[in-house]
Amino acid sequence: KKAALHVSKYFKVGEVDDRLYGSFIEHLGRAVYEGIYQPESPFADEQGMRKDVLKLVQQLNVPIVRYPGGNFVSGYRWEDSVGPKANRPKKIDLAWSVVETNQFGLNEFMDWSKKAETECMMAVNLGTRGIEDAKNILEYCNIKGGSYYSDLRREHGWEAPHDIKLWCLGNEMDGPWQEGHKTAYEYGRIAAEAGRAMKMLDPTIETVACGSSSLTMPTFGTWEDTVLMECYDQVDYLSLHQYYNNHADNSEEFLANTVAMDQFITQVISICDSVKAKKRGKKDIQLSFDEWNVWYHSNEQDKQIERWTQHPHQLEDVYNFEDALLVAGMMITMLRHADRVKVACLAQLVNVIAPIMTSDTGAWKQTIYYPFELISNLGRGTVLHTEIDVPFYESQHGDTPYIDSVVVMNEEKETVTVFAMNKCLTEEIDLSADLRQFEGYRVDQHIVLTHTDLKAENTEDQPNNVVPRNNGNAKLDSGRLNAVLPNQSFNVITLK
Ligand code: AHR
């Protein structure tokens, strides 16, 4: 098979917002306890934070981490998680049927964020709580001092404000599983009023309204429209969430999900712009794809978990090679919409549907760690418009190109990087591109992530089963790029 990529450095989609490479830590399973925090571990620092995990998070180069949920936030009482640890209550968490000890809380997370070299994207509880609580947590976090909650923070030992800039107004409020689930109108109203009060308190913050919790929700479309009609002026972003699975064990269909994701993004942009027209709006609502990943491997074993235990093994998907391919494809898809998708969070970061896993003896990288690491580190700059002539196959989502690709130019570093995923399971594809505009460039590296077994996994005992290698054959002769993309492979070709 052959493919021709057409690109021009003058036709730009947009700047990549670094926050496109965000992630997510929820009080769920072993994400916090035994994940980022384990005081009794030999890997813990003086605050109980796992140093081995911090190192792997830093390598991922994650600029923002959403916290503390997820479904957890809809029953969250942030006051329980601050102050002297001995006084913090153990509470029932209805979202995950567990007991939350609150031994790791808001202030500890802010300290962890600094160590991980990331920023916090904080969510407020609009499930069981509302405007008053949203104001209070913002005051506790962002006001310097001289008021009840800001002084309380100082009393707790955090003198300087946390200055959190990005705030989620609840989580998945369209979902009947959500504590305090609401109709679109009810949610739109509370998002508007909570957002208004929060911006009165701190006009420097930005807010994210909940969109649908997946493309397949029966209310998708009308939910976005009704919510934005109520809160357009009080919010800056609308969220999208999507997880994919391969329960059907059909890899071609599984990899075709990038087409569905692309349609999802395009449709949400259309709704945002239609509400803008109806409202005579001045600004664009941007997209925050703040939960995305593959999630299904742990579904059956999670049904066995005993209720009301503390941080059980929960949502511990063991990822395989085909999951890594889809993760690459999902990131390429979001990058292709860099003009509107400004924030995205890989859900999640450690132990819970995560690229990083821990045990008492170490931390290791799952297969999905690698595409995220490569794209997060090399996919910064400007996304260029591209067209690709490539054969299609027919999937449940319609015409599905065999290659997902995107080109990112970094003017500061003087690099051009082509990310390309070959979804064809049987045949390599010869990729060519006329790059004569990029004078003086040469191929710096052609990294390939591939494996003969789509189901190959990385485990604690065999952590290097699926790893990328700089062994591709890309060549640039007289400005013409040629590269073989092996069957079922993700490729990163950097020109310098
Ligand atoms: O990431 C796991 C869960 O998925 C989150 O808590 C929720 O928001 C979504 O349904």
Side-chain angles (χ1 to χ4, degrees), residues 24 26 28 70-71 96 171-172 243 291 295 315 348 353:
F24 179 26
E26 176 166 3
L28 159 55
N71 296 337
W96 299 107
N171 175 70
E172 294 190 349
Y243 297 95
E291 285 188 36
W295 172 15
L315 275 64
Q348 301 191 7
I353 43 174

Side-chain angles (χ1 to χ4, degrees), residues 67-86:
Y67 178 83
N71 296 337
F72 172 80
V73 82
S74 295
Y76 181 52
R77 283 179 49 85
W78 63 271
E79 304 91 323
D80 295 343
S81 82
V82 296
K85 288 192 177 181

